[in-house]
Amino acid sequence: MVRVKLPGDVTAWSITDHALLNELVNDPRMSKNWQNWNDIKSGHVGDDWPLIGMVKVTNMLTADGSEHRRLRRLVTGTLTPRRVEALRPRVEQIVGELLDALPGHADSDGVVDFRKYYSDVVPVLVISELLGLPEESRADLKAFMDNVFRSDLTPEEVLANQMGLYQLLANQVQYRRDNPGPDLTSALIAAHEEDPESVSEEELVGTLLIMLGAGQETTVALITNAVRALCTHPDQREIAVTGDASTWAGVVEETLRWDAPIGNFPFRYPLEDVVIAGVTIPKGEAIMAPYSAVGREKKQHGDDAESFDITRTQRKNLAFGAGPHICVGAALGRMEGNIAIPAVFDRYPGIELAVDEDDLVPIPSLFSNSSSTLPVRLK
């Protein structure tokens, strides 16, 4: 248990031990409801706090017990395995079209920002089609969601982003109410209209928010991190490109473990004083889950946990969380990764980084764990 300082002179706890973190996310004494956070109740954290967009939301992410189960059922009942699998041909089409277009984005030196023109685009198009987002609103939603994950916005930028995002999501709900289709938003609206007590209007918008965030940011980072890892580990790359589908599944799982898309995830709040690793955590203090850090913990993953090895026997990782709040979009993210990553090396077998790996600049975020760009040369 370590004490960490967040932007705005806000403090929290972080658990760097896999077993302890796994226990925490399953502990019924822990609440996900931000209304139990002392710093919000005291007014120390306000609506202009840089990280508020990841904390003060009304959806299953911040609900407990029966309320959480009610909201989660709403999503799992619409985001079914059949609906996810039905997206496979469209994901393959999107991937193919984007790979075709990549050379056209190269600069005069033949360098392409792989993240901007591929990793960033695949998940956005997939989740937008899943949710039935009109094309004309996708760029704005992408910009708003990117800002939600940033940790360096000014208070004024935070407030403006929150207002703009929620207005755009409310407009999306109204658009699909007027123009229903075979999409997830229309299915959620139908559930709401059939039984208004199943989900409120605010929860409906909040559910779209979590679906956008989970369906976008995690997969962007997964694809970016996997391609970067293979470009910088030629031995692992050789194993991958000469292997079969199961080998590429190993690439996805090893990337999730070794370079997890979510660096840190907020928050849980003890409903009573608790003792963790000999440290007393008072009721209502924030505890953060450092998922990317525990992915390299030696006690869980072996003495070579720092090594990227796609052939390792995988042990449980927490990249998609665990317990009652485990990510409902994990299957979709894995499917996208298993399609989008091998397709890159099939189309451009000689792809290489155009800069030194140490020169890559991280996303300015406590949450997203990836580089802000990925300059490559296509070969």
Side-chain angles (χ1 to χ4, degrees):
M1 290 298 298
V2 294
R3 197 78 161 143
V4 296
K5 180 174 284 189
L6 307 177
D9 198 30
V10 174
T11 56
W13 295 92
S14 185
I15 301 182
T16 62
D17 180 278
H18 173 98
L20 286 175
L21 183 56
N22 190 58
E23 288 179 14
L24 177 91
V25 299
N26 286 281
D27 193 331
R29 299 174 299 171
M30 297 293 162
S31 172
K32 289 280 287 178
N33 190 333
W34 53 267
Q35 296 180 72
N36 290 312
W37 188 12
N38 294 343
D39 278 355
I40 281 186
K41 290 194 289 187
S42 70
H44 181 56
V45 168
D47 289 344
D48 59 352
W49 186 51
L51 313 184
I52 200 68
M54 285 289 292
V55 175
K56 194 175 178 181
V57 292
T58 304
N59 54 34
M60 63 182 177
L61 183 67
T62 59
D64 298 323
S66 60
E67 286 296 286
H68 171 252
R69 290 189 291 273
R70 172 178 64 84
L71 293 170
R72 189 178 178 90
R73 277 196 302 268
L74 184 71
V75 175
T76 56
T78 51
L79 186 62
T80 61
R82 178 178 296 181
R83 189 186 290 267
V84 170
E85 188 57 32
L87 285 169
R88 180 177 295 274
R90 181 58 180 139
V91 175
E92 292 171 344
Q93 181 184 2
I94 288 170
V95 163
E97 292 172 351
L98 291 174
L99 289 174
D100 287 343
L102 272 183
H105 297 297
D107 63 17
S108 58
D109 293 324
V111 176
V112 179
D113 184 348
F114 180 85
R115 178 183 171 112
K116 180 178 181 179
Y117 294 109
Y118 188 75
S119 303
D120 247 356
V121 186
V122 173
V124 171
L125 291 179
V126 173
I127 197 65
S128 293
E129 294 195 10
L130 179 65
L131 294 176
L133 303 180
E135 285 192 31
E136 60 270 19
S137 68
R138 293 176 186 178
D140 287 341
L141 274 172
K142 174 69 168 62
F144 283 131
M145 289 305 302
D146 284 348
N147 282 337
V148 167
F149 288 94
R150 293 179 69 99
S151 306
D152 60 349
L153 298 184
T154 66
E156 294 76 18
E157 289 171 330
V158 171
L159 287 171
N161 194 73
Q162 289 292 97
M163 291 176 63
L165 174 59
Y166 276 90
Q167 184 59 59
L168 200 56
L169 290 173
N171 291 345
Q172 165 62 15
V173 170
Q174 188 57 50
Y175 174 80
R176 279 300 168 202
R177 185 169 278 129
D178 297 335
N179 304 276
D183 55 85
L184 196 60
T185 303
S186 297
L188 292 171
I189 292 170
H192 167 71
E193 292 180 346
E194 182 178 340
D195 180 10
E197 294 187 0
S198 68
V199 58
S200 68
E201 193 77 9
E202 182 182 11
E203 290 169 338
L204 184 56
V205 171
T207 298
L208 289 184
L209 174 63
I210 191 175
M211 294 299 295
L212 278 169
Q216 173 183 310
E217 194 66 23
T218 52
T219 313
V220 169
L222 168 60
I223 297 170
T224 303
N225 295 354
V227 171
R228 181 182 63 195
L230 290 174
C231 283
T232 54
H233 294 79
D235 58 329
Q236 300 300 304
R237 176 179 180 148
E238 181 65 20
I239 294 170
V241 299
T242 57
D244 55 16
S246 64
T247 308
W248 285 106
V251 171
V252 169
E253 292 308 310
E254 180 67 347
T255 303
L256 288 170
R257 178 201 72 82
W258 184 75
D259 207 7
I262 298 299
N264 301 283
F265 204 73
F267 285 126
R268 283 172 172 81
Y269 318 98
L271 296 173
E272 60 188 65
D273 292 356
V274 297
V275 178
I276 302 175
V279 179
T280 299
I281 312 300
K283 172 183 176 181
E285 295 207 351
I287 304 175
M288 194 159 58
Y291 289 137
S292 62
V294 298
R296 299 194 186 190
E297 191 209 60
K298 291 182 178 181
K299 284 190 296 181
Q300 176 66 11
H301 299 290
D303 290 339
D304 64 343
E306 288 288 336
S307 300
F308 180 73
D309 179 4
I310 65 174
T311 67
R312 76 169 64 243
T313 300
Q314 291 288 339
R315 301 176 185 174
K316 178 180 180 180
N317 68 66
L318 299 175
F320 285 113
H325 284 271
I326 191 169
C327 179
V328 295
L332 177 60
R334 283 189 167 98
M335 183 187 76
E336 289 182 62
N338 276 289
I339 294 172
I341 297 164
V344 173
F345 295 89
D346 181 58
R347 182 73 62 88
Y348 302 108
I351 186 174
E352 62 183 14
L353 290 187
V355 298
D356 190 271
E357 185 180 17
D358 292 337
D359 293 331
L360 294 173
V361 179
I363 293 287
S365 173
L366 282 172
F367 310 123
S368 300
N369 174 44
S370 188
S371 57
S372 56
T373 63
L374 193 67
V376 300
R377 285 189 172 88
L378 305 173
K379 297 181 179 180

